[in-house]
Amino acid sequence: MSKPPLAPPASYEAAMEELEQLTGRIESGQLPLEQLLAGYERGAELLKFCRDKLQAVEEQIKVLDAGVLKPWASE
């Protein structure tokens, strides 16, 4: 019997925070194999969530800039 999927994060920032904490636990090397695998799966879900949010923001910026991204002007 598999576990139900965890709820999606409330925001991009919440996803990033959870991902950073999860990465720290995984990198510590202290997780049992089963928890390590579950952590990796959750990390993949969080990464997809963040990429999707960034993609949506990029698309909104393109629309706001009439489809043409302006070069960054350093001052």
Side-chain angles (χ1 to χ4, degrees), residues 15-43:
M16 286 299 296
E17 183 176 336
E18 185 180 346
L19 190 55
E20 287 174 8
Q21 292 172 359
L22 183 58
T23 301
R25 288 195 308 268
I26 289 171
E27 289 177 346
S28 75
Q30 301 300 311
L31 292 176
L33 184 59
E34 210 171 281
Q35 288 180 2
L36 184 64
L37 181 57
Y40 181 84
E41 290 173 355
R42 177 63 175 170

mmCIF file of all heavy atoms in Angstrom, residues 15-43:
data_model
loop_
_atom_site.group_PDB
_atom_site.id
_atom_site.type_symbol
_atom_site.label_atom_id
_atom_site.label_comp_id
_atom_site.label_asym_id
_atom_site.label_seq_id
_atom_site.Cartn_x
_atom_site.Cartn_y
_atom_site.Cartn_z
ATOM 1 N N ALA A 15 8.210 26.094 -1.183
ATOM 2 C CA ALA A 15 8.818 24.943 -1.851
ATOM 3 C C ALA A 15 10.335 25.003 -1.752
ATOM 4 O O ALA A 15 10.989 23.993 -1.477
ATOM 5 C CB ALA A 15 8.376 24.891 -3.311
ATOM 6 N N MET A 16 10.892 26.178 -1.963
ATOM 7 C CA MET A 16 12.352 26.328 -1.882
ATOM 8 C C MET A 16 12.847 26.041 -0.472
ATOM 9 O O MET A 16 13.878 25.378 -0.293
ATOM 10 C CB MET A 16 12.770 27.738 -2.319
ATOM 11 C CG MET A 16 12.680 27.956 -3.808
ATOM 12 S SD MET A 16 13.753 26.856 -4.773
ATOM 13 C CE MET A 16 15.358 27.381 -4.217
ATOM 14 N N GLU A 17 12.137 26.528 0.519
ATOM 15 C CA GLU A 17 12.542 26.292 1.904
ATOM 16 C C GLU A 17 12.497 24.799 2.233
ATOM 17 O O GLU A 17 13.439 24.252 2.819
ATOM 18 C CB GLU A 17 11.633 27.068 2.861
ATOM 19 C CG GLU A 17 12.052 26.928 4.307
ATOM 20 C CD GLU A 17 11.207 27.763 5.246
ATOM 21 O OE1 GLU A 17 10.625 28.773 4.803
ATOM 22 O OE2 GLU A 17 11.127 27.394 6.427
ATOM 23 N N GLU A 18 11.416 24.136 1.839
ATOM 24 C CA GLU A 18 11.299 22.695 2.092
ATOM 25 C C GLU A 18 12.389 21.932 1.343
ATOM 26 O O GLU A 18 12.990 20.993 1.881
ATOM 27 C CB GLU A 18 9.920 22.184 1.677
ATOM 28 C CG GLU A 18 9.706 20.725 2.018
ATOM 29 C CD GLU A 18 8.344 20.186 1.616
ATOM 30 O OE1 GLU A 18 7.425 20.977 1.301
ATOM 31 O OE2 GLU A 18 8.198 18.949 1.618
ATOM 32 N N LEU A 19 12.671 22.343 0.124
ATOM 33 C CA LEU A 19 13.700 21.685 -0.677
ATOM 34 C C LEU A 19 15.076 21.848 -0.033
ATOM 35 O O LEU A 19 15.861 20.899 0.021
ATOM 36 C CB LEU A 19 13.690 22.248 -2.093
ATOM 37 C CG LEU A 19 14.530 21.544 -3.146
ATOM 38 C CD1 LEU A 19 14.186 20.067 -3.230
ATOM 39 C CD2 LEU A 19 14.344 22.210 -4.494
ATOM 40 N N GLU A 20 15.376 23.036 0.487
ATOM 41 C CA GLU A 20 16.659 23.262 1.154
ATOM 42 C C GLU A 20 16.788 22.393 2.405
ATOM 43 O O GLU A 20 17.852 21.807 2.656
ATOM 44 C CB GLU A 20 16.814 24.739 1.508
ATOM 45 C CG GLU A 20 17.076 25.617 0.299
ATOM 46 C CD GLU A 20 17.080 27.101 0.635
ATOM 47 O OE1 GLU A 20 17.033 27.461 1.833
ATOM 48 O OE2 GLU A 20 17.132 27.904 -0.305
ATOM 49 N N GLN A 21 15.720 22.307 3.192
ATOM 50 C CA GLN A 21 15.753 21.472 4.394
ATOM 51 C C GLN A 21 15.918 20.006 4.023
ATOM 52 O O GLN A 21 16.696 19.278 4.646
ATOM 53 C CB GLN A 21 14.482 21.672 5.215
ATOM 54 C CG GLN A 21 14.373 23.042 5.845
ATOM 55 C CD GLN A 21 13.024 23.288 6.497
ATOM 56 O OE1 GLN A 21 12.145 22.434 6.474
ATOM 57 N NE2 GLN A 21 12.857 24.471 7.071
ATOM 58 N N LEU A 22 15.191 19.576 3.017
ATOM 59 C CA LEU A 22 15.253 18.192 2.566
ATOM 60 C C LEU A 22 16.650 17.858 2.054
ATOM 61 O O LEU A 22 17.207 16.795 2.369
ATOM 62 C CB LEU A 22 14.211 17.970 1.474
ATOM 63 C CG LEU A 22 14.061 16.576 0.921
ATOM 64 C CD1 LEU A 22 13.716 15.587 2.032
ATOM 65 C CD2 LEU A 22 12.972 16.564 -0.130
ATOM 66 N N THR A 23 17.228 18.752 1.292
ATOM 67 C CA THR A 23 18.575 18.542 0.769
ATOM 68 C C THR A 23 19.574 18.392 1.914
ATOM 69 O O THR A 23 20.444 17.518 1.876
ATOM 70 C CB THR A 23 18.979 19.718 -0.143
ATOM 71 O OG1 THR A 23 18.046 19.821 -1.211
ATOM 72 C CG2 THR A 23 20.368 19.517 -0.713
ATOM 73 N N GLY A 24 19.436 19.220 2.936
ATOM 74 C CA GLY A 24 20.321 19.119 4.087
ATOM 75 C C GLY A 24 20.220 17.773 4.780
ATOM 76 O O GLY A 24 21.236 17.176 5.163
ATOM 77 N N ARG A 25 18.992 17.277 4.943
ATOM 78 C CA ARG A 25 18.804 15.972 5.591
ATOM 79 C C ARG A 25 19.386 14.850 4.732
ATOM 80 O O ARG A 25 20.011 13.926 5.244
ATOM 81 C CB ARG A 25 17.318 15.721 5.877
ATOM 82 C CG ARG A 25 16.780 16.580 7.001
ATOM 83 C CD ARG A 25 15.435 16.090 7.515
ATOM 84 N NE ARG A 25 14.431 15.892 6.496
ATOM 85 C CZ ARG A 25 13.545 16.804 6.098
ATOM 86 N NH1 ARG A 25 13.544 18.008 6.646
ATOM 87 N NH2 ARG A 25 12.644 16.515 5.176
ATOM 88 N N ILE A 26 19.181 14.937 3.414
ATOM 89 C CA ILE A 26 19.703 13.905 2.523
ATOM 90 C C ILE A 26 21.230 13.924 2.537
ATOM 91 O O ILE A 26 21.882 12.884 2.631
ATOM 92 C CB ILE A 26 19.157 14.079 1.090
ATOM 93 C CG1 ILE A 26 17.669 13.723 1.054
ATOM 94 C CG2 ILE A 26 19.944 13.244 0.089
ATOM 95 C CD1 ILE A 26 16.973 14.050 -0.252
ATOM 96 N N GLU A 27 21.819 15.119 2.457
ATOM 97 C CA GLU A 27 23.269 15.235 2.415
ATOM 98 C C GLU A 27 23.933 14.851 3.731
ATOM 99 O O GLU A 27 25.122 14.543 3.749
ATOM 100 C CB GLU A 27 23.673 16.650 2.010
ATOM 101 C CG GLU A 27 23.381 16.944 0.548
ATOM 102 C CD GLU A 27 23.709 18.368 0.147
ATOM 103 O OE1 GLU A 27 23.912 19.227 1.042
ATOM 104 O OE2 GLU A 27 23.757 18.627 -1.066
ATOM 105 N N SER A 28 23.178 14.860 4.822
ATOM 106 C CA SER A 28 23.759 14.500 6.118
ATOM 107 C C SER A 28 24.178 13.038 6.158
ATOM 108 O O SER A 28 25.027 12.645 6.949
ATOM 109 C CB SER A 28 22.765 14.774 7.246
ATOM 110 O OG SER A 28 21.737 13.784 7.266
ATOM 111 N N GLY A 29 23.547 12.212 5.312
ATOM 112 C CA GLY A 29 23.867 10.798 5.278
ATOM 113 C C GLY A 29 23.290 10.017 6.443
ATOM 114 O O GLY A 29 23.648 8.874 6.668
ATOM 115 N N GLN A 30 22.379 10.610 7.192
ATOM 116 C CA GLN A 30 21.832 9.978 8.382
ATOM 117 C C GLN A 30 20.461 9.341 8.168
ATOM 118 O O GLN A 30 19.921 8.748 9.082
ATOM 119 C CB GLN A 30 21.726 11.011 9.520
ATOM 120 C CG GLN A 30 23.055 11.647 9.893
ATOM 121 C CD GLN A 30 24.069 10.623 10.365
ATOM 122 O OE1 GLN A 30 23.765 9.789 11.203
ATOM 123 N NE2 GLN A 30 25.262 10.683 9.803
ATOM 124 N N LEU A 31 19.898 9.455 6.969
ATOM 125 C CA LEU A 31 18.570 8.907 6.711
ATOM 126 C C LEU A 31 18.656 7.428 6.333
ATOM 127 O O LEU A 31 19.539 7.035 5.562
ATOM 128 C CB LEU A 31 17.884 9.663 5.570
ATOM 129 C CG LEU A 31 17.481 11.105 5.828
ATOM 130 C CD1 LEU A 31 16.898 11.710 4.552
ATOM 131 C CD2 LEU A 31 16.485 11.195 6.952
ATOM 132 N N PRO A 32 17.740 6.622 6.848
ATOM 133 C CA PRO A 32 17.654 5.239 6.378
ATOM 134 C C PRO A 32 17.272 5.232 4.897
ATOM 135 O O PRO A 32 16.692 6.185 4.376
ATOM 136 C CB PRO A 32 16.530 4.633 7.220
ATOM 137 C CG PRO A 32 16.308 5.566 8.351
ATOM 138 C CD PRO A 32 16.775 6.911 7.898
ATOM 139 N N LEU A 33 17.580 4.141 4.234
ATOM 140 C CA LEU A 33 17.377 4.043 2.789
ATOM 141 C C LEU A 33 15.944 4.365 2.371
ATOM 142 O O LEU A 33 15.721 5.096 1.403
ATOM 143 C CB LEU A 33 17.764 2.640 2.298
ATOM 144 C CG LEU A 33 17.700 2.426 0.793
ATOM 145 C CD1 LEU A 33 18.621 3.414 0.082
ATOM 146 C CD2 LEU A 33 18.066 1.002 0.454
ATOM 147 N N GLU A 34 14.963 3.852 3.098
ATOM 148 C CA GLU A 34 13.564 4.098 2.742
ATOM 149 C C GLU A 34 13.224 5.585 2.819
ATOM 150 O O GLU A 34 12.558 6.133 1.937
ATOM 151 C CB GLU A 34 12.658 3.306 3.688
ATOM 152 C CG GLU A 34 11.352 2.898 3.043
ATOM 153 C CD GLU A 34 10.588 1.927 3.923
ATOM 154 O OE1 GLU A 34 10.937 0.739 3.938
ATOM 155 O OE2 GLU A 34 9.650 2.402 4.590
ATOM 156 N N GLN A 35 13.686 6.264 3.862
ATOM 157 C CA GLN A 35 13.433 7.703 4.001
ATOM 158 C C GLN A 35 14.221 8.490 2.957
ATOM 159 O O GLN A 35 13.766 9.526 2.477
ATOM 160 C CB GLN A 35 13.793 8.178 5.403
ATOM 161 C CG GLN A 35 12.837 7.717 6.461
ATOM 162 C CD GLN A 35 13.226 8.212 7.845
ATOM 163 O OE1 GLN A 35 14.195 8.941 8.005
ATOM 164 N NE2 GLN A 35 12.455 7.821 8.838
ATOM 165 N N LEU A 36 15.398 7.994 2.623
ATOM 166 C CA LEU A 36 16.207 8.644 1.599
ATOM 167 C C LEU A 36 15.485 8.638 0.259
ATOM 168 O O LEU A 36 15.404 9.657 -0.428
ATOM 169 C CB LEU A 36 17.554 7.935 1.481
ATOM 170 C CG LEU A 36 18.570 8.531 0.521
ATOM 171 C CD1 LEU A 36 18.997 9.911 0.985
ATOM 172 C CD2 LEU A 36 19.775 7.627 0.423
ATOM 173 N N LEU A 37 14.917 7.497 -0.092
ATOM 174 C CA LEU A 37 14.171 7.385 -1.343
ATOM 175 C C LEU A 37 12.937 8.284 -1.332
ATOM 176 O O LEU A 37 12.661 8.997 -2.300
ATOM 177 C CB LEU A 37 13.762 5.937 -1.593
ATOM 178 C CG LEU A 37 12.992 5.675 -2.884
ATOM 179 C CD1 LEU A 37 13.781 6.138 -4.102
ATOM 180 C CD2 LEU A 37 12.652 4.211 -3.003
ATOM 181 N N ALA A 38 12.204 8.293 -0.221
ATOM 182 C CA ALA A 38 11.020 9.151 -0.103
ATOM 183 C C ALA A 38 11.423 10.624 -0.196
ATOM 184 O O ALA A 38 10.737 11.427 -0.833
ATOM 185 C CB ALA A 38 10.295 8.881 1.210
ATOM 186 N N GLY A 39 12.548 10.977 0.416
ATOM 187 C CA GLY A 39 13.043 12.349 0.348
ATOM 188 C C GLY A 39 13.423 12.744 -1.064
ATOM 189 O O GLY A 39 13.153 13.861 -1.509
ATOM 190 N N TYR A 40 14.043 11.811 -1.779
ATOM 191 C CA TYR A 40 14.412 12.083 -3.159
ATOM 192 C C TYR A 40 13.167 12.309 -4.016
ATOM 193 O O TYR A 40 13.119 13.237 -4.823
ATOM 194 C CB TYR A 40 15.238 10.919 -3.722
ATOM 195 C CG TYR A 40 15.688 11.140 -5.135
ATOM 196 C CD1 TYR A 40 16.839 11.871 -5.413
ATOM 197 C CD2 TYR A 40 14.951 10.653 -6.204
ATOM 198 C CE1 TYR A 40 17.252 12.099 -6.711
ATOM 199 C CE2 TYR A 40 15.350 10.875 -7.513
ATOM 200 C CZ TYR A 40 16.498 11.588 -7.757
ATOM 201 O OH TYR A 40 16.897 11.823 -9.055
ATOM 202 N N GLU A 41 12.154 11.476 -3.820
ATOM 203 C CA GLU A 41 10.905 11.628 -4.575
ATOM 204 C C GLU A 41 10.241 12.967 -4.273
ATOM 205 O O GLU A 41 9.769 13.657 -5.176
ATOM 206 C CB GLU A 41 9.958 10.474 -4.262
ATOM 207 C CG GLU A 41 10.414 9.152 -4.831
ATOM 208 C CD GLU A 41 9.570 7.975 -4.377
ATOM 209 O OE1 GLU A 41 8.665 8.147 -3.520
ATOM 210 O OE2 GLU A 41 9.814 6.863 -4.869
ATOM 211 N N ARG A 42 10.205 13.345 -2.987
ATOM 212 C CA ARG A 42 9.603 14.626 -2.619
ATOM 213 C C ARG A 42 10.418 15.776 -3.214
ATOM 214 O O ARG A 42 9.862 16.761 -3.701
ATOM 215 C CB ARG A 42 9.519 14.754 -1.090
ATOM 216 C CG ARG A 42 8.963 16.078 -0.603
ATOM 217 C CD ARG A 42 7.538 16.303 -1.053
ATOM 218 N NE ARG A 42 7.015 17.527 -0.455
ATOM 219 C CZ ARG A 42 5.883 18.094 -0.794
ATOM 220 N NH1 ARG A 42 5.111 17.530 -1.691
ATOM 221 N NH2 ARG A 42 5.486 19.194 -0.213
ATOM 222 N N GLY A 43 11.727 15.637 -3.191
ATOM 223 C CA GLY A 43 12.586 16.664 -3.780
ATOM 224 C C GLY A 43 12.317 16.845 -5.259
ATOM 225 O O GLY A 43 12.280 17.972 -5.768
#
